[in-house]
Amino acid sequence: MFLAWKEIRYAKMKFLLITGIITLITSLVLSISGLANGLSVDNASAIKNMTADIYVVEESDQHQLERSMMTPDDIDAVKGGSPLGLKMVEMIHDGETVNISLFALDSESPFMPDGEESVKLAPYELLADPALKKEGYKPGDTFTYGEKTWIIRGFTEERFSYGHTPVMFTSIETWKDLLGDDLRYQALLFKDHEGEDIPSNLDKASKDDILSNVPGFSAEQGSLKMMVIFLLIISAIVLATFFYVMTLQKLHQYGVLKAIGAKTGILLRALFVQISILSTFGILAGNTLTYGLTQLIPGDVPFEISSGMILLNNGLILAMAWIGSLLSFRSIMNVDPLEAIGGVK
């Protein structure tokens, strides 16, 4: 600790530059991770936050909810479960078109999300995604769709969005009245389903399967996660280069320390502590910078970041810094005191 801190104080600008690089890397990783999570929430939080674990849907190679068409007879053929209706609609509010994902569930279903206030939905009443509240909507606001007037009764506690559109929940009675003779359902929801076999024209799908088949979800998340992975690899290479060059510049000093009896383990621990200090300060500064940037991001940009995500990314960046230091460790272990001292002019 003594050796590490003394050198940092002696060469302030050099170590400040490295800390700045770690700060920028941390901020960039957190920003991309926040964007990936924000897009995930904006695209599929209705599935992620739904408490159902098993979905019975129409047989298909791709289990996309909006493409599944189940008749009332299909629903009756499977015992238990809660029917789900899903329709992407355009509602009119004050003369403006609002894109909505309309979800229909039985009001007594365990899968109906909790509202900020306890409400029982009457016909053509809605429980809305709280993102709409941020856009200025409030309970009592009315919409027009299908020659019917719909009323927001309240908002859900959690985010519910599907296909980058806010979700509005309505009752199954409203769904039946809305579709009439063309009544179709998109899925039958279960907490688990280990009972009898389902009809051959239906499939049983897990939540993860349904989630991965939400349009655009896998492509968005895969691209952004690959960006984060490559950024972490690049950060390890950049930091390894910096630390290695710094170590080469100090080989004669390490040689002198070895010549006067300093053990290799002490020198390695000093470098490890030095890297840990620089990385910690850089990561903390990167978190602060990211927080400042989030205050400038427009409200319509999907950006979500959690404490768990911050801790995970901080840990990965710190690990990359340690991995990047291994090349420097090797140089210290192999330095010969006589050659290092002889190189001093």
Side-chain angles (χ1 to χ4, degrees):
M1 183 69 183
F2 175 78
L3 289 175
W5 186 245
K6 288 288 286 185
E7 187 178 6
I8 291 174
R9 292 181 60 186
Y10 177 77
K12 298 183 181 66
M13 290 304 299
K14 179 171 64 176
F15 290 108
L16 187 61
L17 176 62
I18 296 176
T19 304
I21 292 172
I22 297 173
T23 297
L24 295 176
I25 289 173
T26 302
S27 181
L28 188 55
V29 169
L30 290 177
S31 297
I32 295 176
S33 298
L35 180 59
N37 191 46
L39 287 170
S40 172
V41 169
D42 198 54
N43 196 9
S45 57
I47 304 302
K48 296 175 73 173
N49 293 334
M50 190 83 72
T51 55
D53 293 323
I54 299 295
Y55 292 71
V56 175
V57 295
E58 183 183 19
E59 183 181 21
S60 173
D61 293 335
Q62 292 185 337
H63 297 139
Q64 292 186 0
L65 283 183
E66 64 274 16
R67 294 187 178 181
S68 173
M69 295 294 170
M70 298 173 63
T71 66
D73 290 338
D74 292 330
I75 298 298
D76 295 337
V78 183
K79 294 182 179 180
S82 179
L84 168 69
L86 166 61
K87 191 176 181 66
M88 313 295 282
V89 301
E90 291 184 348
M91 292 186 169
I92 306 299
H93 174 74
D94 290 342
E96 295 184 357
T97 300
V98 184
N99 292 315
I100 297 294
S101 294
L102 186 63
F103 277 52
L105 285 167
D106 190 324
S107 297
E108 303 300 325
S109 168
F111 307 116
M112 178 66 83
D114 294 327
E116 295 176 338
E117 297 180 2
S118 179
V119 296
K120 184 174 178 60
L121 297 177
Y124 295 96
E125 288 188 339
L126 300 163
L127 192 62
D129 176 13
L132 289 170
K133 186 192 298 186
K134 296 180 180 179
E135 297 180 17
Y137 295 96
K138 57 187 182 299
D141 283 352
T142 59
F143 297 80
T144 302
Y145 172 70
E147 300 182 354
K148 299 288 186 178
T149 298
W150 304 68
I151 302 174
I152 292 182
R153 184 70 186 277
F155 295 93
T156 58
E157 291 182 346
E158 296 182 288
R159 280 293 314 275
F160 282 88
S161 182
Y162 186 83
H164 297 294
T165 58
V167 169
M168 287 191 180
F169 289 90
T170 190
S171 65
I172 208 72
E173 290 76 22
T174 304
W175 184 257
K176 292 177 180 178
D177 185 66
L178 178 67
L179 270 64
D181 295 337
D182 295 327
L183 181 61
R184 292 291 186 272
Y185 299 95
Q186 276 56 59
L188 196 58
L189 310 184
F190 292 86
K191 188 63 181 174
D192 54 55
H193 187 271
E194 299 177 353
E196 60 188 45
D197 293 335
I198 61 174
S200 59
N201 65 318
L202 302 178
D203 279 340
K204 191 191 314 184
S206 66
K207 174 185 279 194
D208 289 340
D209 189 17
I210 296 294
L211 187 63
S212 64
N213 283 290
V214 173
F217 180 81
S218 297
E220 286 178 354
Q221 295 303 300
S223 298
L224 291 168
K225 286 178 181 178
M226 284 301 295
M227 289 174 65
V228 172
I229 291 172
F230 278 118
L231 185 57
L232 289 172
I233 294 173
I234 291 170
S235 67
I237 294 173
V238 170
L239 294 176
T241 303
F242 268 94
F243 294 137
Y244 182 62
V245 171
M246 288 172 52
T247 302
L248 291 180
Q249 292 175 340
K250 299 182 294 182
L251 279 182
H252 67 281
Q253 297 174 11
Y254 286 123
V256 170
L257 290 171
K258 277 191 172 184
I260 62 176
K263 296 182 179 179
T264 302
I266 293 176
L267 301 180
L268 293 178
R269 286 197 296 272
L271 181 59
F272 179 80
V273 170
Q274 190 177 83
I275 292 171
S276 299
I277 291 173
L278 297 175
S279 300
T280 300
F281 277 111
I283 289 170
L284 292 175
N287 290 338
T288 303
L289 178 60
T290 304
Y291 176 77
L293 292 175
T294 59
Q295 306 306 304
L296 303 176
I297 295 176
D300 58 347
V301 176
F303 188 90
E304 296 278 343
I305 196 162
S306 63
S307 57
M309 181 184 297
I310 291 173
L311 291 175
L312 174 62
N313 285 306
N314 287 348
L316 289 174
I317 293 168
L318 185 59
M320 290 299 103
W322 287 338
I323 292 172
S325 67
L326 295 179
L327 193 60
S328 301
F329 286 1
R330 181 175 177 275
S331 297
I332 294 175
M333 293 173 64
N334 294 336
V335 64
D336 183 276
L338 291 179
E339 291 183 4
I341 295 173
V344 177
K345 297 182 180 179

